[in-house]
Amino acid sequence: MSDVLDASPYDALLLLSFGGPEGPDDVVPFLENVTRGRGIPKERLKEVGQHYFRFGGVSPINDQNRALLDALRKDFAEHGLDLPVYWGNRNWAPYLTDTLRDMVRDGRRRILVLATSAYASYSGCRQYRENLADALATLEKEGLELPKTDKLRHYFNHPGFVEPMADGVIRSLADLPEDVRDGAHIAFCTHSIPTAAADTSGPVEAHGDGGAYVAQHLDVARLIADAVRERTGVDHPWQLVYQSRSGAPHIPWLEPDICDHLEERKAAGVPAVVMAPIGFVSDHMEVLYDLDTEATAKAEELGLPVRRSATVGDDPRFAAAVRELVLERAAAESGRDVTRCALGALGPSHDLCPVGCCPARAPRPAAAGADSPYA
C-alpha cells in the first residue's frame, strides 16, 4: 500500500503516549497524575520516584517521542503523504487535552491516533481511549467543535515492529562472548499486569488464560525466535517473562519476574541471557531501570552474562509501518480495497475495539471504539 498516499478522510495523526518527567521537580507531580484517584500519599510517591531521581529526574520517553515524531514526519514527507503529526501525553506535557484543543483550532476534524502501546490490554489500549473521551468531554464543555477520532489497530505483529526487534536480538547475541553465544537463552520481556486484566484483554472471545495480551506477546516472541534461528542457524531457547510489577502483593500478576527468571536460568546451567523488551516501543523508564539497572545488577550478582536488545524506537521501518497503517485505515474508511499486513498466527487486529474489549476497572466512557459516546 506504500504507493497509495491518500489519507482522506483523515486530516491529522496524533501520537498519544504516556508521558514522563523531564527534571527532578517534575517527578512527584508526574506520579500524582499517574496515580490520581488512588489515594497514594506523597511520601510514597517520593519513594517510587527514586527510580527517576537516580537518572536526574528525567524519563527518556519524551525524547524518544520527539525522535519518533521526527521519524514519522520525515517518512511522510519523503513518500508524499501530506498529513500533519501532533503529539499529546496522558500524564505530562504536552498534555492530550491541550494538543487536541490545538488540533481543533487548527481545523482538524478527522484524527487518527497512534498509541505508543502495541498490544491489547486495559492499560495499553482502553485507558488511552478513556483519556481521549475525557479530553473530548473537556473540549465539548468549552464549546469547541469535536473532531472524530479513530485509533490505529494494534501493530504488535506488523513487520515494521517485529523486524527491528529481531535485528536487535541478533546484534545482542553477537555481542556475547563466543563461548556462551550459541547456548544463550532469550528472555522476551514485557510489562506485568494483573492476571485478571490479562484474562479480559482483547475481544470477549479472546478472554481467559491470559487473553489477547499474553497470546499477542507469545506470537511476537515466536516470530523473533524463528527469525533468529533462520538467520543464525541456532535454535535458542526462550520464554516470555515479565517486569515492572507495581500492584499490591495479594493481587496475582503475570509471572515470572525477569529477576526471578535470571536466577532460574542460572540454576539450570544457562550460560548467558539476552533480554528482549518486546512489550515496549521505546527505552522508557521501565526499560532503563527494570532491565538496564535492576535485572542487569541481578545478572552480575549471579555471574550470568546478559545483553539487552533494542526497542523499536524511531527505527525507519517502524515509521514506515505507521505510514502503512494510516493508509490502510484511510482506505478502509473510504471503502477502498485494503491489504492488511501482519505476521504470525493471529493475523491483523480489529480497527474498532468491540464492546467488552479490555473492560475498564470501573465503567468510564471511552472514545474510538464501538461503545464510544463520540461517534
Side-chain angles (χ1 to χ4, degrees), residues 73 171 184 242:
R73 289 166 177 163
R171 286 194 299 270
Y242 302 93

Side-chain angles (χ1 to χ4, degrees), residues 173-226:
L173 287 166
D175 191 48
L176 284 167
E178 188 173 357
D179 60 334
V180 300
R181 187 179 304 151
D182 286 354
H185 171 89
I186 305 173
F188 291 107
C189 306
T190 191
H191 208 301
S192 184
I193 61 175
T195 56
D199 289 345
T200 56
S201 59
V204 172
E205 60 269 20
H207 290 181
D209 196 25
Y213 186 76
V214 171
Q216 290 171 358
H217 280 87
L218 287 172
D219 205 37
V220 171
R222 291 188 193 99
L223 286 166
I224 295 173
D226 288 348

Side-chain angles (χ1 to χ4, degrees), residues 302-355:
L302 295 168
L304 181 66
V306 294
R307 296 293 186 272
R308 197 269 289 175
S309 65
T311 52
V312 171
D314 60 344
D315 189 290
R317 288 169 292 184
F318 182 48
V322 173
R323 168 171 41 87
E324 291 175 6
L325 289 168
V326 165
L327 295 171
E328 169 198 295
R329 184 61 180 272
E333 288 293 307
S334 301
R336 302 191 297 271
D337 290 338
V338 176
T339 300
R340 300 180 185 274
C341 193
L343 301 174
L346 298 180
S349 186
H350 48 260
D351 279 341
L352 194 68
C353 291
V355 175

Side-chain angles (χ1 to χ4, degrees), residues 5-17:
L5 300 179
D6 181 8
S8 61
Y10 298 105
D11 54 20
L13 176 68
L14 169 61
L15 175 65
L16 176 55
S17 193

Side-chain angles (χ1 to χ4, degrees), residues 93-111:
Y95 288 103
L96 168 60
T97 301
D98 296 335
T99 299
L100 268 182
R101 186 183 296 111
D102 290 341
M103 296 177 81
V104 169
R105 289 172 175 168
D106 287 346
R108 312 304 176 192
R109 295 295 178 264
R110 288 295 303 271
I111 297 170

